[in-house]
């Protein structure tokens, strides 16, 4: 009972609001970030209920409310969530983006796939493509192809220093990319911003991504709508470097207009 003698509010899932909010804080601190959609599914309450929870927790300084969800109070431009922490976030959107992006890959192509959870989903979509050469700096992506070995596929895993997001980066990686010529490159991003382009919290990953871009004829960005407006420590691509960005239908009208104004082709995966 509260001071007015009323019972504390309950969600449809039967949890007290205070208990639900405590669970939200614990989950955000564990994962680094979480979306409203994930919380709605988890607790069985309305979108507005979750947003009120996030407003209250943000006001209390227990998390940061952001567009579409929340981040840990420790999440700043240099913070880099781990691969597993990001793998379950916006999974449906990532699958839709991956399926759309995969239609751009033709047999007999040499492609690059940067590290990330959306590019990981893309790799699984590409298992059916014939006569493919894949260059990647992600052991997880290489494992997707090695687990489905084919005589008409070549997979090149470049080496380097491993980041929290499971990218292999640094001077070894950039040196390996310097001699390559790729038809098509798929890159994810920690942040997508109209002014600052694509960014990452990791300086060496930024440098490796720049080398990937320099080695590629066409660059396709795969990034879900929650990446919009986020700015990491280091920009690795401006809009003039890019050809296409594939995102999901959760992208706001304002963000769609801002992306189109960059001159980069915008594709919304359904």
């Amino acid at each position: 009972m509260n001071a007015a003698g009323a019972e504390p509010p309950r969600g449809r899932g039967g949890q007290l609001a205070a208990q639900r909010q405590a669970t939200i804080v614990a989950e955000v601190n564990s994962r680094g970030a979480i979306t409203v959609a994930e919380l709605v599914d988890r607790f069985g309450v309305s979108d507005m209920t979750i947003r009120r929870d996030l407003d209250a927790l943000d006001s209390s300084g227990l998390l940061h409310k952001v567009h579409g969800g929340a981040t840990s109070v420790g999440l700043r431009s240099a913070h880099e969530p781990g691969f597993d922490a990001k793998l379950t976030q916006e999974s449906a959107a990532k699958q839709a983006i991956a399926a759309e992006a995969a239609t751009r890959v033709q047999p007999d192509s040499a492609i690059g796939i940067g590290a990330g959870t959306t590019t990981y989903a893309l790799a699984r979509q590409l298992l059916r493509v014939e006569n493919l050469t894949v260059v990647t700096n992600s052991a997880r992506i290489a494992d997707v192809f090695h687990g489905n070995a084919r005589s008409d596929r070549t997979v090149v895993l470049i080496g380097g220093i491993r980041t929290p997001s499971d990218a292999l980066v640094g001077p070894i990686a950039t040196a390996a990319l310097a001699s390559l010529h790729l038809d098509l490159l798929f890159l994810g991003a920690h942040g997508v911003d109209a002014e600052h382009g694509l960014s990452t919290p990791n300086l060496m990953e930024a440098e490796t991504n720049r080398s990937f871009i320099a080695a590629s004829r066409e660059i396709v960005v795969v990034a879900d709508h929650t990446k919009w407006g986020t700015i990491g420590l280091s920009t690795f691509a401006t809009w003039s470097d890019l050809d296409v960005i594939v995102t999901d239908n959760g992208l706001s009208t304002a963000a769609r207009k801002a992306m189109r104004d960059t001159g980069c082709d915008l594709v919304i995966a359904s």
Side-chain angles (χ1 to χ4, degrees), residues 5 7 23 29 35 38 66 76 96 109 142 149 152 154 157-158 183 224 232 254 266:
E7 182 180 358
T23 303
N29 287 339
T35 67
E38 289 173 315
V66 297
R76 295 293 187 267
S109 297
D152 64 341
T154 300
L157 175 63
I158 60 175
D183 299 311
D224 70 75
L266 175 63

Side-chain angles (χ1 to χ4, degrees), residues 44-266:
V45 297
S46 70
D47 179 278
M48 289 305 300
T49 295
I50 293 299
R51 293 184 188 278
R52 285 194 294 268
D53 285 340
L54 298 184
D55 282 335
L57 294 169
D58 183 273
S59 296
S60 300
L62 296 173
L63 51 71
H64 292 300
K65 185 181 179 184
V66 297
H67 177 72
T71 64
S72 165
V73 291
L75 190 59
R76 295 293 187 267
S77 62
H79 176 80
E80 186 173 11
F83 184 94
D84 291 325
K86 295 186 290 185
L87 188 59
T88 59
Q89 296 173 10
E90 298 296 329
S91 58
K94 290 174 182 177
Q95 292 300 325
I97 291 167
E100 175 64 38
T103 64
R104 297 177 173 272
V105 179
Q106 300 298 319
D108 302 305
S109 297
I111 68 169
I113 307 179
T117 52
T118 307
T119 48
Y120 176 80
L122 171 64
R124 300 176 69 85
Q125 292 282 339
L126 296 177
L127 291 176
R128 65 182 181 276
V129 180
E130 298 177 346
N131 299 316
L132 195 62
T133 297
V134 178
V135 178
T136 184
N137 65 329
S138 166
R140 300 229 190 186
I141 289 173
D143 284 345
V144 169
F145 292 107
H146 289 150
N148 183 257
R150 293 171 49 152
S151 60
D152 64 341
R153 182 190 299 129
T154 300
V155 180
V156 179
L157 175 63
I158 60 175
I161 299 168
R162 186 175 179 177
T163 72
S165 60
D166 275 1
L168 298 174
V169 300
I172 295 174
T174 56
L177 290 165
S179 62
L180 300 180
H181 305 280
L182 303 173
D183 299 311
L184 187 60
L185 170 66
F186 295 95
L187 284 178
H190 171 81
V192 181
D193 183 78
E195 180 180 355
H196 299 282
L198 307 186
S199 58
T200 173
N202 190 292
L203 291 172
M204 286 195 293
E205 184 165 13
E207 185 61 31
T208 300
N209 284 345
R210 292 185 199 109
S211 296
F212 251 131
I213 290 169
S216 305
R217 187 175 62 188
E218 182 180 359
I219 295 90
V220 178
V221 179
V222 288
D224 70 75
H225 71 278
T226 64
K227 305 298 180 66
W228 180 260
T230 298
I231 302 171
L233 179 63
S234 179
T235 293
F236 62 84
T238 62
W239 294 107
S240 62
D241 298 318
L242 310 172
D243 297 293
V244 180
I245 181 164
V246 183
T247 187
D248 63 282
N249 58 16
L251 193 68
S252 69
T253 300
R256 294 184 192 207
K257 182 179 185 303
M259 280 191 177
R260 290 191 177 105
D261 288 346
T262 65
C264 184
D265 289 342
L266 175 63

